[in-house]
Amino acid sequence: MIELKVLSNLERIIHFLTKIFQWVAMFLLFFMMAITVVDVIGRYFSSPLKGTFEMTNYALALIVFLGLAYAQRENAHITVDIIVEKFPTFMQNIINILWYLIMFIVLNTMGWQMFQYALRNLGSASAELKLPISVIFITASIGVFLYAVMAFVGLIKAVYKVVQTRVS
């Protein structure tokens, strides 16, 4: 039972972090909307906002990567389980274990590569606004790593479910 308590505490921490990321993503979405409106109005007066395209591109990328863990927590990712739902419950649980394991490996690899890219480009800046690219990639990799932790929690729960059904 101590393992479940640790898992519960980890889920509480993840819930808190995903809530923060959710608010950051919502702010970035509002920011994208605001600068797009200002840019469109500025174009009408022949004075568009400098760097709008660049800012919206980076903001959109951060919205996606910071929102992944929140979507996982809310079980909001799209799934197609037409075939899997026909399998027995035990087999569905085994498939869930494999899915979470693959997800965990891929997400950790992806997050690590993003982090390495950020480190290789520490001095680099964006073309128009000279924004530090490494900050954007580090932030995005943190979102991916949090998603990987969510996948790990799902993996532990799926394994626990299989063990419980085998014991019963």
Side-chain angles (χ1 to χ4, degrees):
M1 284 302 160
I2 194 161
E3 297 87 10
L4 292 179
K5 185 171 176 131
V6 170
L7 195 61
S8 175
N9 289 338
L10 181 61
E11 283 182 306
R12 213 169 313 133
I13 293 167
I14 291 170
H15 180 59
F16 175 74
L17 291 173
T18 56
K19 202 72 165 158
I20 291 171
F21 286 6
Q22 173 191 4
W23 281 101
V24 171
M26 287 189 311
F27 168 78
L28 287 170
L29 187 61
F30 178 78
F31 173 73
M32 280 176 52
M33 180 196 66
I35 63 174
T36 302
V37 167
V38 168
D39 186 53
V40 169
I41 292 171
R43 286 180 191 198
Y44 181 73
F45 295 108
S46 298
S47 180
L49 187 62
K50 181 183 176 200
T52 301
F53 183 73
E54 196 172 276
M55 286 188 286
T56 55
N57 279 340
Y58 290 136
L60 182 59
L62 289 176
I63 288 169
V64 168
F65 288 116
L66 294 178
L68 287 172
Y70 174 76
Q72 178 69 23
R73 189 188 86 204
E74 296 297 315
N75 205 16
H77 291 292
I78 297 171
T79 58
V80 180
D81 56 359
I82 294 170
I83 297 171
V84 175
E85 70 183 7
K86 306 271 190 251
F87 293 153
T89 306
F90 179 75
M91 187 56 112
Q92 289 178 15
N93 292 337
I94 295 296
I95 290 170
N96 279 339
I97 289 173
L98 291 173
W99 170 242
Y100 282 120
L101 183 62
I102 291 168
M103 229 168 80
F104 180 69
I105 292 168
V106 168
L107 290 170
N108 273 305
T109 303
M110 192 169 129
W112 180 251
Q113 290 301 315
M114 290 172 77
F115 187 73
Q116 289 297 311
Y117 182 82
L119 292 180
R120 282 193 307 270
N121 292 290
L122 270 177
S124 298
S126 63
E128 194 172 348
L129 296 175
K130 306 297 182 220
L131 298 171
I133 292 174
S134 57
V135 172
I136 294 162
F137 276 93
I138 288 172
T139 306
S141 68
I142 290 170
V144 172
F145 282 130
L146 185 60
Y147 188 24
V149 172
M150 294 284 297
F152 181 72
V153 169
L155 175 65
I156 298 300
K157 285 181 173 181
V159 168
Y160 186 77
K161 203 173 192 180
V162 167
V163 169
Q164 287 298 99
T165 56
R166 291 305 265 178
V167 170
S168 301

